[in-house]
Amino acid sequence: MSTKPNQTDKPNIIIIGASGHAKVIIDIIERRGEYNIIGLIDSFKAIGSKVFNYRIIGHEKDIPSLKNSYNFESAIIAIGDNWTRKIIFQKIIKIQPDLSYISAIHPDAIIGKNVKIGKGTVIMAGVIINSDAKIGEFCIINTKASLGHDSHLKNYSSLAPNSTIGGNVKIGSCTAICLSASVIQDISIGKHCIIGAGSLIIRDVQDNFKVFGIPGKIKEKITKGQKYLYHSESLKSRQKGSLEIITDKVKWQKVLAEIGRYDFYHTYEYHQLSKNPIENPILILYRTGNNKLIALPLLIRDIPNSDFKDATSTYGYAGPISNNIDPKFDNSDFIINLLSYLNNNNIISVFSRLNPFMPCQPHVLRGLGEISSQGKVVNINLKIDINKQRSLYGKRLKTHVNKARRMCSIRKAVNEEDLQTFINIYYENMDRVKAKKSYYFDKSYFENMMNSSSFDTDILLAIDSETNTIIGGSMFVTTNNIVQYHLSGTKNDFLHLTPTKLLIDEMRLLANKKGSQFYNLGGGLGGRDNDSLFNFKASFSNDFKSFYLWKLIVNDSAYKELVYKKGINENTNFFPLYRLMDDINVNL
């Protein structure tokens, strides 16, 4: 063959690989104008086909003969997968050991002082490499990624677009840092690791692990060469989902009906009546093509004196609800979609109380922030025999309930006067226990709870038979097969009659008639399970359910800056910490 495409004095090179990654490399080489591309090598595409205006001139095995025919001495490997890139290099070095390799550095990349870059490495547009960083051979640093000072990226490793690596970080060979992931300073990550998209790494990672989440948590042990890049053929078996933000009542309720299993804390109406003026309710809906649904209700709030927002759940037990989700569900695409929405809307943290009676909440949120135990709640198991339920009462409780039934009658609140009486008793109760201001719901809250079409609210009143005085009241909310003991109060002069115990017992009887299955009495103050309030509730049942909180920091630097500006340095579990002085996020 006598073809001599090189008509310039620039060195001839070939590009090994003809995928989309090759297009990016071609663009870089053309912009720099230092080499003359004479063609591409690819063992899976037809010879003569083109990428841009460059022909595929042969396969890897043809390199020795092509080298002489086309007069080239150098190449660059245009393969995005780290392990495959290594295998191809090892294959070619046996075929053509004297072939040299160039690096491709986009002219718009910023390279700091004393940076060392190995052969075969590709650095794309918008990349920032800070001083004294070291990049090994055949690495990829993708669009807008940044590598901190004194960091070391070892051979065949890669940084995906928008990934951020702090100073003095060590990243092992063949490790992939995926889209928008971040690694804080002074971290070591082993070889053959995969750091999932959007993850935040704050601890060292050993060899051969997949890590996902904020903060990053070990998801699974992996083998070297495990795939992290997917092409259209593989995507057919991986269901991608889409995210929709719902604020309309009709759409919101339609989603709940489609999912089927939810509590009143998830409804549109409860979000509207429980929010404060600075909170905007949304329902984040994630849906896949195979009809897997996740719906996450949140209240979005502006953070004063900043450009940021955060999100919290309603008072009570909320968290995500889902359909067709099981413990094996791969939530990685959900995480990517959710983090993208939160980042794009400047939402820097999310807090939610989870619901002990909703299935798969930990599986939906796995690897996304922190799920921590807040204690236990007391459930009366309505699925067992009604007499068995009562047999589980403490001996003293049975005595008090029997006495209260002799001394009191019970009826439902039926009119405006009954509702106002209950409100007055509830406020009196809050005064007695010195409750925080946020527990003093206004009258419209109680009215809307009673009049809601999305859930059933019952207020039971206890009436002293001797004086015909309403001495106590309790509000219960039933949704689907769950009864929630919501609010309660007793007049100070009648505490000795323990009417609340009677009202809880009465609601148990009514709930059994309705066919409900769960009757949640809640936990202690602030979710504790070791105080007098919890002990009072625990006298009704020993069926305890774990109660969890979900905390997610989306933007770690912004979060820390807000905490710093507030001058907060207390060692506390309060979240988000920058609202310590003006919020009640972790109190139930």
Side-chain angles (χ1 to χ4, degrees):
M1 185 180 291
S2 59
T3 304
K4 300 285 185 182
N6 182 16
Q7 304 298 320
T8 73
D9 58 358
K10 299 174 184 176
N12 288 341
I13 65 166
I14 58 168
I15 295 176
I16 300 169
S19 64
H21 187 55
K23 294 180 179 180
V24 179
I25 291 177
I26 288 170
D27 179 62
I28 295 172
I29 292 172
E30 288 183 339
R31 286 173 182 271
R32 296 201 68 93
E34 298 171 349
Y35 298 98
N36 182 52
I37 303 170
I38 56 101
L40 293 87
I41 300 293
D42 195 293
S43 292
F44 301 97
K45 294 186 178 179
I47 295 174
S49 58
K50 290 185 177 182
V51 176
F52 292 143
N53 292 322
Y54 302 99
R55 292 174 61 248
I56 295 174
I57 60 174
H59 303 156
E60 283 94 349
K61 64 181 177 58
D62 302 323
I63 289 176
S65 60
L66 293 170
K67 183 174 182 291
N68 294 326
S69 301
Y70 284 92
N71 189 30
F72 62 83
E73 299 293 335
S74 301
I76 187 167
I77 300 177
I79 295 173
D81 182 83
N82 294 337
W83 181 247
T84 305
R85 192 164 60 254
K86 179 177 181 178
I87 294 300
I88 292 298
F89 170 70
Q90 292 174 336
K91 179 180 179 181
I92 293 173
I93 202 171
K94 293 179 181 179
I95 299 171
Q96 190 69 49
D98 63 343
L99 187 64
S100 62
Y101 294 88
I102 69 164
S103 290
I105 302 174
H106 197 284
D108 290 338
I110 299 173
I111 310 298
K113 190 174 182 178
N114 295 332
V115 169
K116 295 180 181 179
I117 300 172
K119 68 181 181 183
T121 286
V122 178
I123 299 177
M124 299 183 187
V127 165
I128 300 175
I129 310 294
N130 285 305
S131 58
D132 285 317
K134 184 178 180 181
I135 303 165
E137 299 177 354
F138 301 100
C139 293
I140 297 173
I141 304 183
N142 223 306
T143 311
K144 293 186 178 180
S146 66
L147 185 65
H149 65 84
D150 298 289
S151 290
H152 187 183
L153 199 62
K154 295 188 177 180
N155 299 348
Y156 307 104
S157 54
S158 61
L159 305 182
N162 292 305
S163 54
T164 303
I165 310 301
N168 196 36
V169 171
K170 306 296 185 293
I171 298 175
S173 62
C174 291
T175 282
I177 311 296
C178 296
L179 287 163
S180 299
S182 298
V183 182
I184 67 168
Q185 71 281 354
D186 301 318
I187 293 294
S188 292
I189 298 175
K191 60 186 178 181
H192 300 290
C193 292
I194 299 172
I195 305 303
S199 298
L200 173 64
I201 305 305
I202 61 174
R203 297 181 181 87
D204 291 349
V205 180
Q206 302 302 313
D207 297 347
N208 301 97
F209 278 107
K210 181 186 289 186
V211 181
F212 219 112
I214 302 178
K217 294 183 179 180
I218 301 298
K219 186 172 183 180
E220 61 182 85
K221 186 82 171 177
I222 61 176
T223 58
K224 62 183 179 181
Q226 186 162 323
K227 298 297 182 183
Y228 59 96
L229 299 175
Y230 298 90
H231 301 285
S232 57
E233 292 82 5
S234 342
L235 287 172
K236 291 176 182 177
S237 62
R238 299 178 75 245
Q239 289 294 330
K240 292 286 185 177
S242 60
L243 214 65
E244 180 183 359
I245 306 303
I246 295 172
T247 57
D248 175 74
K249 178 180 180 179
V250 174
K251 288 184 177 180
W252 189 312
Q253 293 300 93
K254 185 177 179 181
V255 169
L256 298 191
E258 187 175 359
I259 290 176
R261 187 163 183 178
Y262 60 91
D263 209 336
F264 85 93
Y265 301 109
H266 298 99
T267 62
Y268 176 90
E269 282 193 76
Y270 184 68
H271 277 75
Q272 291 295 326
L273 67 91
S274 64
K275 75 180 186 70
N276 66 44
I278 67 167
E279 295 173 337
N280 295 306
I282 65 168
L283 182 67
I284 300 175
L285 174 64
Y286 172 82
R287 184 191 297 271
T288 67
N290 59 354
N291 207 32
K292 294 183 184 296
L293 274 69
I294 298 171
L296 175 63
L298 292 170
L299 298 170
I300 308 301
R301 312 177 292 187
D302 289 329
I303 300 175
N305 304 314
S306 81
D307 296 327
F308 298 108
K309 301 176 182 180
D310 60 13
T312 187
S313 62
T314 58
Y315 173 87
Y317 307 95
I321 53 176
S322 59
N323 196 17
N324 296 321
I325 303 295
D326 59 35
K328 295 181 180 179
F329 171 64
D330 180 355
N331 68 343
S332 55
D333 185 65
F334 167 69
I335 289 176
I336 291 169
N337 276 271
L338 180 60
L339 289 177
S340 176
Y341 166 76
L342 297 171
N343 277 304
N344 290 339
N345 289 273
N346 286 333
I347 299 170
I348 68 169
S349 72
V350 182
F351 171 86
S352 181
R353 306 169 185 87
L354 302 187
N355 190 305
F357 304 96
M358 293 297 107
C360 291
Q361 287 190 332
H363 306 297
V364 167
L365 300 172
R366 182 175 52 234
L368 186 61
E370 174 190 350
I371 298 177
S372 59
S373 175
Q374 185 68 6
K376 296 181 176 62
V377 298
V378 178
N379 171 57
I380 297 179
N381 186 358
L382 301 178
K383 293 182 283 187
I384 64 176
D385 178 77
I386 191 169
N387 295 318
K388 175 66 174 176
Q389 295 166 21
R390 183 178 166 85
S391 71
L392 297 175
Y393 284 13
K395 183 177 180 181
R396 187 179 181 189
L397 172 63
K398 292 177 184 176
T399 300
H400 288 168
V401 170
N402 291 338
K403 176 183 177 182
R405 283 204 179 274
R406 293 194 303 270
M407 306 293 291
C408 303
S409 61
I410 303 171
R411 66 174 175 84
K412 290 184 179 182
V414 294
N415 53 37
E416 179 75 18
E417 183 180 354
D418 286 345
L419 180 61
Q420 188 58 58
T421 300
F422 171 69
I423 295 172
N424 293 341
I425 293 174
Y426 173 76
Y427 287 165
E428 183 177 331
N429 202 87
M430 293 299 98
D431 290 342
R432 185 177 67 252
V433 299
K434 296 180 172 59
K436 294 185 177 183
K437 183 179 179 181
S438 57
Y439 288 93
Y440 287 79
F441 306 106
D442 61 25
K443 185 177 181 180
S444 65
Y445 176 89
F446 294 92
E447 291 174 337
N448 288 325
M449 288 293 295
M450 288 296 293
N451 297 325
S452 172
S453 59
S454 299
F455 44 82
D456 295 326
T457 301
D458 292 308
I459 295 178
L460 300 185
L461 303 173
I463 302 153
D464 175 48
S465 299
E466 183 177 347
T467 63
N468 204 32
T469 302
I470 297 175
I471 63 171
S474 297
M475 177 184 286
F476 305 91
V477 186
T478 304
T479 318
N480 297 319
N481 60 1
I482 302 170
V483 180
Q484 296 282 359
Y485 170 46
H486 192 50
L487 302 174
S488 190
T490 300
K491 291 182 71 67
N492 293 336
D493 292 341
F494 294 89
L495 291 171
H496 62 286
L497 293 181
T498 63
T500 298
K501 294 179 179 179
L502 173 62
L503 296 173
I504 292 174
D505 182 63
E506 181 68 14
M507 189 63 209
R508 177 182 67 89
L509 301 176
L510 294 174
N512 276 282
K513 290 180 180 178
K514 288 182 178 182
S516 298
Q517 296 182 358
F518 304 101
Y519 182 9
N520 182 30
L521 303 185
L525 185 63
R528 290 191 288 270
D529 55 17
N530 57 359
D531 62 2
S532 59
L533 178 58
F534 180 84
N535 292 335
F536 159 72
K537 295 173 180 178
S539 65
F540 285 86
S541 172
N542 59 5
D543 184 15
F544 302 151
K545 306 292 184 183
S546 295
F547 167 46
Y548 295 98
L549 303 179
W550 174 46
K551 306 171 186 178
L552 170 64
I553 298 176
V554 182
N555 186 329
D556 187 63
S557 59
Y559 183 95
K560 288 178 178 176
E561 183 179 357
L562 287 172
V563 173
Y564 174 78
K565 286 181 177 179
K566 285 267 191 172
I568 298 170
N569 57 11
E570 283 124 359
N571 183 17
T572 174
N573 289 326
F574 191 92
F575 189 86
L577 191 55
Y578 52 79
R579 288 190 183 269
L580 177 64
M581 307 309 295
D582 54 10
D583 202 89
I584 58 158
N585 253 342
V586 293
N587 292 307
L588 288 177

